[in-house]
């Protein structure tokens, strides 16, 4: 460097010091944010998601476990910028009530925690800590408004709350509409596959069958609980020999169904079968688990029966075909059909063909 350039540099440096300018090394740009973490999304080891301005990487399979939470399934990858974005709500844009320990919250309630962030109850709970009980709470992106008891949006679910109440005028208060909506994330293909007519038909078919199983969503548990629903599986019946009687909208029965449903939903139902009769969202999820994944005595799942055109009759076969189909009990079968036709009419769609089995 020439003497003239050195002199110019020193003069510039002196002026900068005199003006209070601080020289900082150029910071490298933060990596782009991955897609924002969602409580309803299933992540496997190696998947990344952004949350609160950081990218996080899953260590193993997870659903509903908040990054940075007590479960320890997520590794913090550091700050990110742009891209998918985190879930930190804009400050001051909402006025939801502060969370209070020990207060009973229904699914859908929105609260502000002491960390300044907002959380929405995904399951009814007696005031569990939103940052610890990630099964009961999910982060909520605040976009304005107020009030803390707005139910979760039904999204594209074909049945409105008013129609749900019309279908079940005498239902037990346990079977909440918000509990059903909260459960939909477990099986996103339910009532979202095919045309809008097919989606409404599937919703009506599902609700008609659970109505039959529960006397119009009146019964949470089986009336006769003396039956032995304990099959000789390797894991046995840790909750008790007679603990696996029918519960919930689909009257989930038998130890192997509680084990399989619990494994699929990430909940230990084998040891805690009573959750199906005390947690509305879990209860609805077990019904959706059977509907979407089990063929029962039939040859296809009830979901596939409705979306692939096999008809309502095949849903009966998948649920209780060995008892009601092929002329075995036409009165019970017809009761399901009648309910389905009634619910389809409420939703304004044709019930389609192949109604019986």
């Amino acid at each position: 460097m020439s003497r003239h350039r050195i002199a110019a540099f020193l003069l510039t440096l002196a002026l900068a010091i005199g003006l209070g300018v601080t020289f900082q090394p150029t910071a490298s740009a933060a990596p782009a944010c991955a897609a924002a973490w969602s409580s309803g999304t299933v992540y496997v080891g190696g998947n990344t998601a952004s949350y609160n301005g950081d990218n996080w990487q899953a260590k193993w399979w997870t659903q509903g476990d908040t990054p940075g939470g007590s479960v320890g399934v997520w590794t913090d990858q550091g700050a990110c910028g742009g891209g998918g974005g985190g879930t930190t709500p804009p400050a001051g844009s909402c006025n939801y009530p502060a969370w209070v320990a020990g207060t009973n919250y229904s699914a859908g309630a929105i609260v502000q925690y002491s960390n300044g962030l907002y959380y929405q109850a995904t399951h009814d709970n007696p005031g569990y800590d939103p940052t610890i009980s990630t099964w009961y709470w999910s982060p909520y992106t605040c976009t304005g408004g107020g009030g803390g008891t707005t139910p979760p949006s039904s999204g594209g679910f074909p049945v409105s709350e008013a129609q749900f109440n019309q279908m079940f005028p005498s239902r037990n208060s346990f079977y909440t509409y918000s509990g059903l909506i909260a459960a939909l994330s477990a099986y996103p293909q339910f009532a979202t596959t095919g045309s809008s007519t097919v989606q409404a038909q599937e919703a009506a078919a599902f609700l008609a069958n659970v109505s039959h199983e529960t006397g119009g969503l009146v019964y949470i548990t089986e009336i006769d609980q003396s039956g032995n629903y304990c099959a000789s599986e390797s894991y046995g019946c840790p909750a008790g020999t007679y603990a696996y009687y029918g519960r919930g909208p689909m009257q989930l029965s038998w130890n192997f169904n509680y084990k399989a449903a619990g494994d699929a939903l990430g909940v230990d139902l084998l040891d805690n079968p009573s959750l199906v009769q005390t947690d509305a969202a879990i209860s609805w999820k077990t019904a959706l688990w059977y509907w979407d994944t089990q063929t029962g005595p039939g040859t296809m799942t009830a979901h596939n029966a409705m979306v692939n055109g096999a008809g309502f009759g095949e849903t009966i076969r998948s649920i209780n075909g060995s008892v009601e189909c092929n002329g075995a009990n036409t009165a019970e079968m017809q009761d399901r059909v009648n309910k389905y036709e009634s619910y389809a009419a409420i939703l304004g769609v044709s019930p389609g063909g192949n109604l019986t089995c």
Side-chain angles (χ1 to χ4, degrees):
M1 182 181 292
S2 70
R3 285 179 294 174
H4 294 293
R5 289 184 179 178
I6 293 173
F9 172 76
L10 292 174
L11 178 60
T12 301
L13 180 60
L15 288 172
I17 294 172
L19 293 174
V21 176
T22 302
F23 287 98
Q24 296 287 353
T26 302
S28 59
C33 289
W37 174 80
S38 170
S39 62
T41 300
V42 171
Y43 299 93
V44 297
N47 287 169
T48 58
S50 61
Y51 179 72
N52 284 349
D54 281 14
N55 278 332
W56 299 78
Q57 186 176 66
K59 300 176 185 177
W60 56 78
W61 185 100
T62 178
Q63 182 180 22
D65 297 316
T66 308
S70 60
V71 177
V73 66
W74 293 95
T75 299
D76 191 349
Q77 301 289 294
C80 62
T87 57
T88 303
S93 62
C94 281
N95 188 31
Y96 292 106
W99 169 78
V100 178
T103 298
N104 287 318
Y105 291 101
S106 300
I110 301 170
V111 297
Q112 184 177 29
Y113 192 62
S114 57
N115 59 6
L117 301 180
Y118 292 90
Y119 296 84
Q120 185 172 45
T122 50
H123 304 85
D124 298 347
N125 70 86
Y128 294 140
D129 188 310
T131 63
I132 297 175
S133 301
T134 55
W135 171 253
Y136 293 94
W137 295 93
S138 292
Y140 178 77
T141 301
C142 194
T143 57
T149 57
T150 303
S153 169
S154 61
F157 189 55
V159 183
S160 68
E161 187 166 10
Q163 291 169 327
F164 179 79
N165 291 334
Q166 182 181 355
M167 293 173 180
F168 304 104
S170 303
R171 65 180 172 82
N172 190 300
S173 60
F174 171 76
Y175 291 115
T176 60
Y177 180 77
S178 61
L180 170 58
I181 298 305
L184 296 179
S185 63
Y187 293 94
Q189 70 272 28
F190 170 71
T192 62
T193 306
S195 67
S196 58
T197 295
V198 171
Q199 293 173 22
Q201 287 172 338
E202 183 179 11
F206 171 77
L207 293 173
N209 276 297
V210 302
S211 179
H212 178 85
E213 294 290 320
T214 60
L217 289 184
V218 171
Y219 297 104
I220 302 173
T221 63
E222 192 173 5
I223 296 175
D224 182 4
Q225 300 176 8
S226 61
N228 181 359
Y229 293 102
C230 179
S232 56
E233 305 290 344
S234 61
Y235 43 76
C237 292
T241 304
Y242 297 96
Y244 302 96
Y245 52 80
R247 294 178 174 88
M250 204 64 78
Q251 292 292 281
L252 188 71
S253 306
W254 292 96
N255 58 328
F256 51 81
N257 278 328
Y258 279 87
K259 176 69 165 62
D263 287 349
L265 299 174
V267 185
D268 183 6
L269 297 181
L270 184 67
D271 290 286
N272 304 283
S274 62
L275 285 174
V276 184
Q277 70 188 70
T278 58
D279 187 303
I282 290 178
S283 195
W284 281 113
K285 283 182 180 181
T286 62
L288 290 173
W289 165 80
Y290 192 93
W291 181 269
D292 279 81
T293 69
Q294 302 300 297
T295 62
T299 59
M300 64 187 75
T301 67
H303 169 73
N304 285 337
M306 294 307 298
V307 302
N308 294 326
F312 180 75
E314 287 303 311
T315 72
I316 303 174
R317 192 181 303 279
S318 297
I319 294 170
N320 207 27
S322 60
V323 176
E324 298 177 23
C325 293
N326 302 321
N329 193 329
T330 56
E332 292 294 302
M333 178 198 69
Q334 190 60 47
D335 180 67
R336 294 181 194 261
V337 174
N338 293 345
K339 285 182 169 61
Y340 172 57
E341 291 178 321
S342 173
Y343 293 173
I346 290 174
L347 299 182
V349 294
S350 165
N354 302 321
L355 299 182
T356 62
C357 61

